[in-house]
Amino acid sequence: MPHATDNRPTALLAMGPGIADRLLADRHRTRLAALTRTDPALVAHDLADPTPEVAAALAEAEVLFTCWGATPLTAEVLAAAPRLRAVVHAAGSVKHHITEACWERGITVTSAAGANALPVAEFTLAAILFAGKRILRSADRYRELRADHDWLAELDGTGNYRRTVGIVGASRIGRRVIELLCPFDLDVLLYDPYVDGAEAARLGVRLTSLDELCASSSVVSVHAPQLPETHHLIGAAQLAAMAPGTTLINTARGSLIDEDALLPELTAGRLQAVLDVTDPELPPADSPLYTLPNVLLTPHVAGSLGDELHRMADQALDELERFAAGLPFADPVHSGSLSHSA
């Protein structure tokens, strides 16, 4: 039992199987133990049907330290956590597990979405610059030819000088992509209904309609949240407006693009695509997305993985330190913002 003068908050780790071992290095576990009263070895995988050990820890927990695979915090789960005051999420979106019952209870929430945005933006920057150089096409042709060739002639009109890049959505990731594009000689367009002209000017972009962005950009990169109103945001009309050779990048959610409309454009070779997410998340085994030479298909790896998970853990522990000191979160999640964010 902790000493009576130990005022550290009681914490419980709650996330999917295997996640804690990837998320937390030894230094994170040491820091977690110093900031809270917790058992870093105890990880709750199912708060809705807990083991006796987890149920006892949940009943005492003042803060949940969550990550991917966390149990939705329904009213029933919260009833078993009478002392719970905060959720610190060491990942991006909290929509999977933070419910209306959490807001009604007055639980404060923070997430490491800012930390998770960085690798996605870096992936996107690489994809944009590679798209401008037609890397997919030239690599495929080089593999095919295996001989001297007039690459200057074949790749005439490519490059990353004074090209136009369209960013769909000034989300955390979209804004970070815009920042990363600043050093390059690129013109950046933005579509986001929540951004006005003054803010666009501060970001250094030109605000446009979605249709104008699609028609004017050599690369279109999607960073909008998954909402009912963004379902198939990029549809047949937007795809048809894109010039031949345009590259479409999606690191957001697969449902934002109408893939039934996209596939014919890709099969015909009119457009290029870098797709880190699809709808469904795992394409069928016979999907042409796996084999088309003008498509770079990756298995949802743009976000944090490997040692990048430690960045999210660092941010989450920074927030936990603020909570333990009685300070407000530096990056809180507000219920009202979830209606137009990831």
Side-chain angles (χ1 to χ4, degrees):
M1 294 294 290
H3 193 275
T5 59
D6 189 348
N7 294 320
R8 293 174 301 162
T10 304
L12 173 63
L13 298 177
M15 55 196 70
I19 299 299
D21 289 337
R22 293 181 173 87
L23 177 72
L24 301 173
D26 288 344
R27 62 182 175 85
H28 296 123
R29 294 182 185 275
T30 299
R31 189 178 177 197
L32 180 65
L35 291 172
T36 67
R37 288 179 287 149
T38 189
D39 178 359
L42 177 63
V43 183
H45 303 314
D46 187 355
L47 295 177
D49 185 21
T51 64
E53 187 179 16
V54 167
L58 181 61
E60 295 297 319
E62 297 168 83
V63 56
L64 290 179
F65 192 92
T66 64
C67 193
W68 297 314
T71 304
L73 300 178
T74 62
E76 291 74 19
V77 170
L78 293 179
R83 302 184 64 202
L84 187 66
R85 294 186 286 130
V87 176
V88 174
H89 189 53
S93 176
V94 301
K95 286 185 175 181
H96 170 75
H97 67 300
I98 299 299
T99 67
E100 188 61 32
C102 294
W103 305 121
E104 292 174 354
R105 171 92 162 257
I107 292 171
T108 56
V109 180
T110 183
S111 91
N116 192 47
L118 298 181
V120 183
E122 292 164 357
F123 178 102
T124 303
L125 174 65
I128 290 171
L129 296 178
F130 266 30
K133 299 285 283 188
R134 289 288 188 267
I135 292 299
L136 277 179
R137 172 63 177 166
S138 58
D140 188 59
R141 286 281 285 149
Y142 199 23
R143 185 183 305 110
E144 172 190 328
L145 295 172
R146 307 187 186 200
D148 289 336
H149 186 65
D150 189 351
W151 294 107
L152 286 178
E154 177 155 338
L155 298 174
D156 187 42
T158 67
N160 287 305
Y161 182 66
R162 294 305 179 201
R163 288 211 172 257
T164 299
V165 175
I167 303 297
V168 180
S171 59
R172 288 178 187 264
I173 297 168
R175 289 168 187 262
R176 181 57 177 160
V177 171
I178 290 169
E179 291 176 5
L180 292 177
L181 290 173
C182 284
F184 301 96
D185 292 314
L186 298 166
D187 298 319
V188 182
L189 305 181
L190 172 67
Y191 167 73
D192 190 312
Y194 295 96
V195 172
D196 60 21
E199 186 175 4
R202 287 193 295 272
L203 292 171
V205 300
R206 182 165 68 85
L207 203 60
T208 71
S209 69
L210 180 59
D211 289 347
E212 180 186 352
L213 181 148
C214 290
S216 303
S217 301
S218 298
V219 178
V220 175
S221 190
V222 181
H223 302 288
Q226 180 175 260
L227 304 169
E229 55 268 35
T230 60
H231 183 74
H232 289 182
L233 181 67
I234 306 295
Q238 289 72 36
L239 295 166
M242 295 179 189
T246 298
T247 298
L248 177 62
I249 301 171
N250 190 9
T251 57
R253 289 292 184 268
S255 65
L256 274 65
I257 296 176
D258 182 351
E259 285 188 15
D260 287 340
L262 176 61
L263 276 171
E265 300 278 11
L266 296 175
T267 302
R270 202 182 75 82
L271 300 179
Q272 320 288 317
V274 177
L275 304 175
D276 189 52
V277 288
T278 53
D279 188 18
E281 179 79 7
L282 179 65
D286 61 353
S287 171
L289 294 177
Y290 290 112
T291 55
L292 284 169
N294 52 330
V295 175
L296 176 59
L297 180 67
T298 53
H300 203 163
V301 294
S304 298
L305 51 78
D307 56 15
E308 293 166 340
L309 271 67
H310 296 165
R311 182 193 283 123
M312 296 195 300
D314 285 335
Q315 180 171 326
L317 285 167
D318 286 346
E319 291 286 56
L320 187 57
E321 184 170 2
R322 293 181 66 85
F323 178 81
L327 299 172
F329 289 134
D331 198 0
V333 177
H334 300 291
S335 60
S337 67
L338 294 181
S339 63
H340 58 271
S341 65

